Amino acid sequence: MKQIICAAVLAVCTFGVQAQEKKFHFGAKAGAQSTTITGDEEDVSARIGAHVGVFGEYMINDKFSIQPELVFSMQGADSDVEENVFGENYKGEWVKLNYLNLPVLVKYHFSGVKGLSVGVGPQVGFLLSAKQKYTTSVEGVTTEHEDDVKDNLKSIDFGLTAGAEYELPVHVFFGIRAYQGFMNINDIDNDKAYNSVFQLSAGYRF
């Protein structure tokens, strides 16, 4: 995984060096997001997280561009699970998943509305860490737990991302984006679990 990450960083940096020659733009972005886990997981709800990253955009022509990104993303879901097993009460709190995501978008720039663009493309995610918080209660004694569950999940996620951006004349832009994972990230049983993310971003394009 380290080799893939280094290659991605090198690619972005190489594009940046060639910016003047190839109509390439480099930038950074950050924002808030609502994330959850879909699939067979029923007792979950959305969790608020954040993301921050860098990108490079190569203009193919006036209407189309390709934009690879490198983004740190705080994902996961809040848990609503409550059950009693052999006299022990279990209550789920949350699952926190930190990913390093590499989306590559093909973007269309509207000529009639300067600064407005839409994009769609694949995204690969590398799981950096995974923690789960829950409480157990036996005979009135409540105990909080926070476990490392990275070994229970697949190290790679894959899906499709799409969204829209509007850039001001001062090169500041605002974006909205949705991601849906296609790969089952559960690695311990047959239950299916997929990452789902809705993002709001702001950034600057050099």
Side-chain angles (χ1 to χ4, degrees):
M1 188 181 79
K2 290 182 179 179
Q3 293 176 340
I4 296 175
I5 294 172
C6 289
V9 173
L10 180 61
V12 171
C13 292
T14 301
F15 284 143
V17 171
Q18 299 173 347
Q20 299 302 321
E21 300 177 2
K22 295 189 175 182
K23 296 183 180 180
F24 186 86
H25 303 280
F26 180 78
K29 68 174 189 174
Q33 57 192 29
S34 173
T35 72
T36 190
I37 298 173
T38 60
D40 293 333
E41 301 290 336
E42 296 182 353
D43 297 316
V44 296
S45 56
R47 179 172 182 80
I48 302 301
H51 64 277
V52 60
V54 295
F55 64 88
E57 182 178 14
Y58 175 69
M59 301 298 300
I60 300 172
N61 52 41
D62 291 340
K63 291 187 178 296
F64 290 96
S65 64
I66 297 177
Q67 181 168 303
E69 302 179 356
L70 192 64
V71 182
F72 172 76
S73 179
M74 299 169 61
Q75 299 176 200
D78 285 342
S79 175
D80 303 319
V81 175
E82 289 191 45
E83 55 187 12
N84 186 295
V85 181
F86 301 116
E88 180 179 71
N89 292 314
Y90 171 93
K91 184 177 186 304
E93 297 289 342
W94 45 251
V95 177
K96 291 182 180 179
L97 310 178
N98 288 329
Y99 278 90
L100 184 65
N101 291 328
L102 282 74
V104 179
L105 282 78
V106 176
K107 297 175 65 178
Y108 176 80
H109 301 260
F110 292 90
S111 57
V113 183
K114 188 175 181 180
L116 180 63
S117 64
V118 294
V120 63
Q123 174 176 297
V124 177
F126 298 93
L127 182 64
L128 302 178
S129 65
K131 293 187 179 298
Q132 179 182 23
K133 183 179 180 181
Y134 60 94
T135 60
T136 56
S137 180
V138 181
E139 297 181 351
V141 179
T142 300
T143 306
E144 290 189 350
H145 307 264
E146 188 171 324
D147 296 344
D148 188 327
V149 293
K150 186 176 180 181
D151 290 341
N152 297 343
L153 303 172
K154 292 181 175 135
S155 59
I156 295 179
D157 183 32
F158 177 79
L160 184 71
T161 187
E165 285 182 359
Y166 182 74
E167 183 176 345
L168 301 174
V170 291
H171 305 299
V172 173
F173 67 86
F174 302 93
I176 184 171
R177 188 178 297 184
Y179 168 79
Q180 180 59 54
F182 295 156
M183 180 177 290
N184 179 16
I185 61 172
N186 186 3
D187 203 29
I188 57 172
D189 53 40
N190 294 324
D191 288 344
K192 293 180 173 56
Y194 305 94
N195 281 310
S196 182
V197 181
F198 177 79
Q199 294 180 341
L200 295 174
S201 304
Y204 186 85
R205 183 175 280 103
F206 297 94

